[in-house]
Amino acid sequence: MYEFNSKFFQALSMLLNAQSFPFVIDLACLASRRGYLKLEKWLTDKIREHGEPFISACVKFLQVKFNMALLDKVQMKYVMVVVMGERRDSVGSIVVRPWAWWSRI
C-alpha cells in the first residue's frame, strides 16, 4: 500500500509540473478536492515560477468553468420546461413549478 501511495504522489507531482497549463490547473483542482494538494500553496508556487502566462491560464480556466456552470444552469431550466411541459396562467405567462420536475424524471 505504501509503495502505491509513493508512486501515486510521484506521478501526480510530475503531472502537476507539466507545461500544459489548462490540464495542470484542472488536475490541481481535482487533486485539491480529493485532499492530495494544498491548492493555495501550489498556485502561489506556480505564479512565482511562471508569472503572467500562468496567471492568464488561470483566468481563462475560471472563465471556461464559469461559462460551463452557467450553461448547466440554463440547460437545467430547459429540462424543467421540457419535462413538465408549458403551462400558462390566466395572463399568459409560463408557469414553472421547480419542485415538480424532480418527480417526473
Side-chain angles (χ1 to χ4, degrees):
M1 183 70 173
Y2 174 75
E3 185 177 325
F4 170 77
N5 285 340
S6 173
K7 288 182 180 180
F8 171 78
F9 286 112
Q10 187 178 21
L12 180 61
S13 177
M14 286 175 44
L15 287 170
L16 290 172
N17 284 315
Q19 295 297 316
S20 175
F21 292 147
F23 169 74
V24 170
I25 295 166
D26 209 7
L27 179 62
C29 290
L30 176 62
S32 175
R33 282 193 305 269
R34 302 287 167 104
Y36 299 129
L37 179 72
K38 293 183 179 181
L39 188 60
E40 188 173 334
K41 182 185 180 329
W42 181 83
L43 284 169
T44 302
D45 292 345
K46 288 297 176 186
I47 290 169
R48 224 179 264 128
E49 183 180 345
H50 297 287
E52 194 275 328
F54 183 76
I55 293 170
S56 295
C58 288
V59 169
K60 183 168 181 153
F61 174 82
L62 291 173
Q63 289 171 334
V64 167
K65 290 297 182 180
F66 176 79
N67 288 336
M68 288 172 58
L70 190 60
L71 180 61
D72 284 347
K73 189 174 183 176
V74 168
Q75 287 175 339
M76 184 57 69
K77 287 182 181 178
Y78 175 75
V79 166
M80 287 172 50
V81 171
V82 168
V83 171
M84 292 173 43
E86 285 186 5
R87 194 181 107 226
R88 297 189 180 268
D89 63 10
S90 60
V91 185
S93 301
I94 295 176
V95 175
V96 176
R97 294 175 295 153
W99 61 89
W101 75 274
W102 289 102
S103 61
R104 296 187 182 192
I105 289 182

